[in-house]
Amino acid sequence: MLLKDKIVIVSGIGPGLGVKLAIEAAREGAAGVVCAARTAEKLDDAQRRIEALGVKTRVLKQVCDITDRRSCAALVEATVKTFGRIDALVNSAFFHGDMDYVSTADLDAWMSGPIATNLIGTLKLTQAVIPQMKQQRQGAIVMINTMAVRQVPPLGEAGYAVSKAALANAVKWLAKELGPDGIRVNTVHMGWMWGVPVQSYMEWQARQHNVPVETLIAQVAAQIPLGRIPPDEECARAALFMVSDYASVVTGASLDVNGGHYMP
């Protein structure tokens, strides 16, 4: 089991990758999974789905807004009080923002939206766990990033991509700063992932263009060497590998999780 006996915090629990990260962490033997989201309903759903696995993993639910330092501190405090330590942080919380372009974007909206959440909020939560991990002399952090940082997509999502690109760069600094304390920091760049968000997007696009959903799926899959859109849970496992002991000497690295859609 990748995460046997580990205590794992997952931010951004939602209907897509977030909840799958929590579920797969439990499936991979985590002793405790701390589920964090802005709304309690998403946390209740995550707990039910983990309990349905029949595993021994304990679930801690915590409402958390990562853009609020006090909320991040409360999450860390609750985790340490319940489990005594933090082995891994999976930064999955994000705000997509408008489908925009650099040349015409509302830059003020970037500051209050994707940059405030994806960059600053993620770093606030990361900073909150660092003291505990330093005390332990070990810990692993992984940032969920996007393929849009690696290549410019056909659709405009400039604000989202820019915020995530800055986060990817911050990973390298964190890895160098925290390595002497036994703390590893990595990033995974996700491509297309089949789950509720992408399914909803495909259905919307199908209505807009009056074509079957299957046609759109086939068009995307044709660009992926593996020939399919990977499901959320497969992508989640790749991210969890980066906080597992199997990646014990991996830090400051970027892993592309996209079926080969983008190859640097």
Side-chain angles (χ1 to χ4, degrees):
M1 292 185 175
L2 278 178
L3 303 174
K4 181 174 172 55
D5 298 332
K6 292 191 180 297
I7 306 302
V8 182
I9 296 176
V10 180
S11 72
I13 297 294
L17 181 65
V19 71
K20 296 297 178 60
L21 286 161
I23 292 169
E24 294 306 312
R27 200 192 306 274
E28 290 295 338
V33 173
V34 183
C35 298
R38 290 186 179 184
T39 59
E41 293 80 7
K42 293 176 181 177
L43 301 178
D44 293 339
D45 175 64
Q47 182 177 30
R48 286 191 295 267
R49 294 171 73 171
I50 290 172
E51 290 176 347
L53 297 176
V55 296
K56 296 180 180 179
T57 304
R58 294 174 62 191
V59 178
L60 172 63
K61 300 178 294 181
Q62 183 80 14
V63 173
C64 179
D65 177 356
I66 66 169
T67 65
D68 183 343
R69 283 193 182 275
R70 289 176 296 180
S71 188
C72 293
L75 172 61
V76 171
E77 182 180 357
T79 302
V80 175
K81 181 179 179 180
T82 302
F83 297 110
R85 68 184 196 276
I86 301 170
D87 296 307
L89 168 63
V90 183
N91 278 308
S92 180
F94 76 98
F95 178 80
H96 192 282
D98 295 333
M99 298 296 285
D100 57 10
Y101 299 86
V102 176
S103 57
T104 57
D106 180 346
L107 300 182
D108 291 332
W110 280 17
M111 295 300 294
S112 61
I115 289 178
T117 300
N118 304 340
L119 177 61
I120 305 302
T122 297
L123 294 179
K124 284 179 179 179
L125 182 53
T126 298
Q127 287 183 342
V129 306
I130 287 172
Q132 176 62 32
M133 288 185 173
K134 281 187 173 182
Q135 182 180 323
Q136 299 166 180
R137 300 292 299 167
Q138 68 87 27
I141 301 167
V142 65
M143 313 296 193
I144 303 300
N145 213 294
T146 172
M147 189 173 67
V149 167
R150 309 292 235 173
Q151 63 176 13
V152 179
L155 294 174
E157 50 182 353
Y160 175 66
V162 166
S163 67
K164 288 289 196 175
L167 181 63
N169 189 267
V171 164
K172 299 175 184 178
W173 287 78
L174 285 166
K176 193 163 187 177
E177 293 166 12
L178 301 177
D181 295 294
I183 302 170
R184 300 185 299 103
V185 189
N186 293 291
T187 188
V188 291
H189 292 270
M190 300 299 189
W192 287 93
M193 297 181 291
W194 188 256
V196 173
V198 169
Q199 182 178 348
S200 299
Y201 169 76
M202 289 286 191
E203 291 171 352
W204 174 72
Q205 283 286 292
R207 291 192 297 271
Q208 292 294 309
H209 299 284
N210 195 29
V211 297
V213 171
E214 293 74 17
T215 298
L216 298 178
I217 294 173
Q219 289 173 353
V220 172
Q223 303 172 47
I224 301 173
L226 290 183
R228 61 190 177 89
I229 300 176
D232 289 341
E233 55 267 26
E234 285 190 41
C235 299
R237 291 174 201 142
L240 295 175
F241 166 79
M242 298 299 270
V243 295
S244 77
D245 291 342
Y246 285 97
S248 60
V249 294
V250 180
T251 194
S254 297
L255 177 66
D256 292 292
V257 183
N258 55 41
H261 193 171
Y262 169 80
M263 299 182 191

